């Protein structure tokens, strides 16, 4: 039986995971994984696949990195939605109208999660562990169809002695996100690097507090997400971002996993009823990601319009540093499974109490 989630429960869930603090950031460092991998992977095939669809696909996302790769698709299909834009009550369309899209960009996840569970949203771009949480909450009624954003965090400092992650030994590191994904990832990487007992971590409640420490003491060491990293570097020329935690993850993770911070999920019922619409979305999403990465200047106004970044100059500088991707199929499963396992080992609740089964990973037709 499907469980209902109220807005209060959703907010409590995400606050407990620390997700509300990382939604405004996106990963630093370019990635060669931006091309879509359309190979088949584990998951459930649609039992009654349709060759075509007459449907309105209701797509929801958040004002953060998971939406950046979507902006060109939004602009091409129905325009960037305004604040508070409402999705249609249902996804039916007149026969012969084909596949259409409606978008909503939410400022807070507590508004988005209940809509997914209640069937008011068909596809959503969310933080990576939210899909697993919802999969467990709904007893398997959620699929993940792509990875849309890789790591969001980098080391920021004016201390020239910090050139690599291992150079954090003997340092005090300021970071936000205690009791959530950033803490679990940092603990994992410090342990792998063999410096867990040599680094003092001082937790702050918000990214802005970390940025304030760096502004007052450029020799301090902080960990920040984009676009805070770009904005902080623009404001203070003495600071640099010498270490990308996405690269550190690749160095120490031996299972082929990635530092995944954003995924795209779909209601299993919708995927089974409208496989052609899901495939159409994936093709358009991959094209949009490619366009955003290839021409940040053209994408910047759309990113600002979506409310993700306040000014175009910052967006232009931040986009190339954002690990905006569209990874599907076997590569998606390999990238995400290992990441979720690290979170599960640190705190089972961070992935909803259990690792998702193979049917969580969407299998393309």
């Amino acid at each position: 039986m499907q469980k209902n989630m109220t807005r209060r429960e959703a907010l409590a869930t995400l606050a407990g995971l620390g997700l509300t603090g990382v939604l405004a950031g996106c990963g630093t460092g370019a990635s060669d994984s931006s091309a879509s991998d359309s190979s088949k992977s584990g998951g459930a095939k649609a039992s009654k696949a349709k060759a075509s669809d007459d449907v309105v696909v209701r797509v929801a996302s958040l004002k953060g990195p998971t939406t950046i790769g979507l902006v060109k698709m939004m602009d091409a299909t129905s325009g960037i939605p305004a604040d508070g834009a409402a999705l249609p009550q249902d996804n039916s369309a007149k026969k012969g109208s084909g596949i259409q899209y409606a978008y909503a960009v939410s400022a807070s996840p507590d508004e988005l999660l209940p809509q997914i569970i209640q069937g008011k949203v068909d596809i959503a771009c969310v933080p990576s562990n939210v899909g697993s949480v919802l999969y467990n909450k709904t007893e398997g009624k959620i699929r993940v169809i792509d990875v849309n954003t890789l790591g969001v965090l980098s080391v920021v400092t004016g201390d020239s002695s910090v050139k690599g992650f291992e150079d954090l030994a003997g340092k005090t590191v300021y970071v936000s996100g205690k009791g959530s994904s950033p803490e679990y990832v940092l603990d994992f990487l410090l342990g792998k690097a063999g410096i867990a007992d040599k680094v003092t971590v001082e937790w702050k409640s918000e990214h802005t507090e970390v940025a304030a420490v760096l502004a007052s003491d450029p020799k301090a060491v902080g960990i920040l997400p984009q676009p805070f990293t770009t904005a902080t570097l623009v404001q203070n020329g003495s600071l640099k971002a010498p270490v990308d935690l996405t690269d550190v993850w690749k160095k120490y993770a031996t299972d082929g996993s990635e530092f995944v911070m954003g995924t795209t999920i779909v209601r299993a019922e919708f995927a089974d009823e409208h496989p052609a619409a899901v495939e159409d979305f994936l093709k358009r999403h991959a094209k949009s990601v490619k366009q955003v990465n290839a021409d940040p200047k053209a994408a910047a106004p759309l990113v600002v319009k979506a409310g993700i970044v306040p000014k175009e100059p910052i967006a232009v500088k931040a986009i190339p540093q954002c690990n905006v991707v569209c990874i599907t199929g076997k590569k998606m499963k390999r990238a995400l499974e290992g990441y979720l396992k690290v979170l599960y080992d640190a705190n089972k609740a961070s992935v909803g109490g259990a690792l998702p089964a193979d049917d969580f990973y969407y299998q393309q037709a």
Side-chain angles (χ1 to χ4, degrees):
M1 180 180 295
Q2 180 170 310
K3 301 177 183 178
N4 292 324
M5 178 184 282
T6 66
R7 289 184 60 185
R8 178 175 295 180
E9 288 175 329
L11 181 58
T13 298
L14 290 178
L17 299 178
L19 294 173
T20 54
V22 300
L23 292 174
C26 64
T28 59
S31 170
D32 60 2
S33 301
S34 57
S36 174
D37 169 17
S38 60
S39 59
K40 297 179 182 178
S41 70
K45 288 185 178 180
S47 58
K48 296 181 179 179
K50 298 179 181 178
S52 61
D53 271 311
D54 294 309
V55 61
V56 176
V57 185
R58 300 166 300 179
V59 181
S61 60
L62 297 159
K63 289 185 178 179
T66 57
T67 302
I68 290 177
L70 199 63
V71 295
K72 294 294 286 188
M73 177 181 172
M74 286 180 173
D75 187 55
T77 52
S78 70
I80 301 293
D83 259 353
L87 291 170
Q89 291 298 306
D90 61 62
N91 52 24
S92 61
K94 291 182 179 180
K95 189 172 180 57
S97 59
I99 300 170
Q100 302 176 64
Y101 291 89
Y103 302 93
V105 179
S106 300
S108 61
D110 62 307
E111 298 174 359
L112 177 55
L113 267 65
Q115 293 183 55
I116 298 171
I117 292 177
Q118 293 164 12
K120 297 178 180 178
V121 168
D122 304 311
I123 292 176
C125 298
V126 297
S128 55
N129 56 333
V130 168
S132 179
V133 170
L134 291 179
Y135 174 87
N136 285 302
K137 182 75 175 178
T138 62
E139 300 179 353
K141 294 182 172 62
I142 294 293
R143 304 279 181 268
V144 59
I145 58 176
D146 71 36
V147 167
N148 58 48
T149 312
L150 295 179
V152 302
L153 302 172
S154 60
V155 175
V156 179
T157 184
D159 186 342
S160 60
S161 70
V162 179
K163 296 181 174 64
F165 186 71
E166 294 76 8
D167 295 328
L168 297 183
K171 308 288 186 183
T172 295
V173 179
Y174 299 89
V175 61
S176 63
K178 184 172 177 57
S180 63
S181 300
E183 179 181 9
Y184 310 143
V185 169
L186 184 57
D187 285 349
F188 170 73
L189 296 178
L190 289 173
K192 288 291 185 180
I195 58 173
D197 59 345
K198 300 175 183 178
V199 177
T200 299
V201 180
E202 185 164 326
W203 294 97
K204 298 294 184 181
S205 60
E206 297 180 357
H207 304 315
T208 52
E209 293 183 23
V210 177
V213 171
L214 295 171
S216 63
D217 179 11
K219 293 295 184 181
V221 180
I223 293 179
L224 286 171
Q226 289 282 5
F228 285 97
T229 296
T230 295
T232 301
L233 297 182
V234 168
Q235 293 169 3
N236 191 334
S238 65
L239 296 174
K240 297 186 182 301
V243 182
D244 178 356
L245 295 196
T246 305
D247 295 333
V248 181
W249 182 285
K250 290 179 180 179
K251 178 179 178 179
Y252 289 114
T254 59
D255 57 358
S257 65
E258 299 266 10
F259 183 7
V260 179
M261 289 310 295
T263 60
T264 306
I265 60 175
V266 64
R267 291 188 297 109
E269 182 181 16
F270 181 86
D272 289 345
E273 292 180 354
H274 303 286
V278 176
E279 294 299 323
D280 185 74
F281 174 90
L282 287 172
K283 290 178 182 178
R284 291 179 182 274
H285 192 193
K287 180 180 179 180
S288 180
V289 165
K290 185 175 181 179
Q291 291 173 327
V292 168
N293 285 327
D295 193 351
K297 189 174 182 180
L302 302 178
V303 172
V304 172
K305 189 175 181 181
I308 301 167
V309 175
K311 297 180 180 179
E312 289 184 26
I314 294 178
V316 171
K317 290 186 176 182
I319 290 171
Q321 305 305 316
C322 294
N323 282 325
V324 177
V325 298
C326 182
I327 303 174
T328 60
K330 292 180 180 178
K331 194 173 181 180
M332 170 191 71
K333 187 172 187 285
R334 185 168 59 249
L336 184 57
E337 269 190 324
Y339 176 74
L340 292 177
K341 180 65 164 57
V342 167
L343 300 188
Y344 174 83
D345 289 343
N347 181 358
K348 294 180 181 179
S350 67
V351 296
L355 290 171
D358 283 347
D359 67 343
F360 174 60
Y361 300 94
Y362 178 72
Q363 180 174 333
Q364 293 177 279

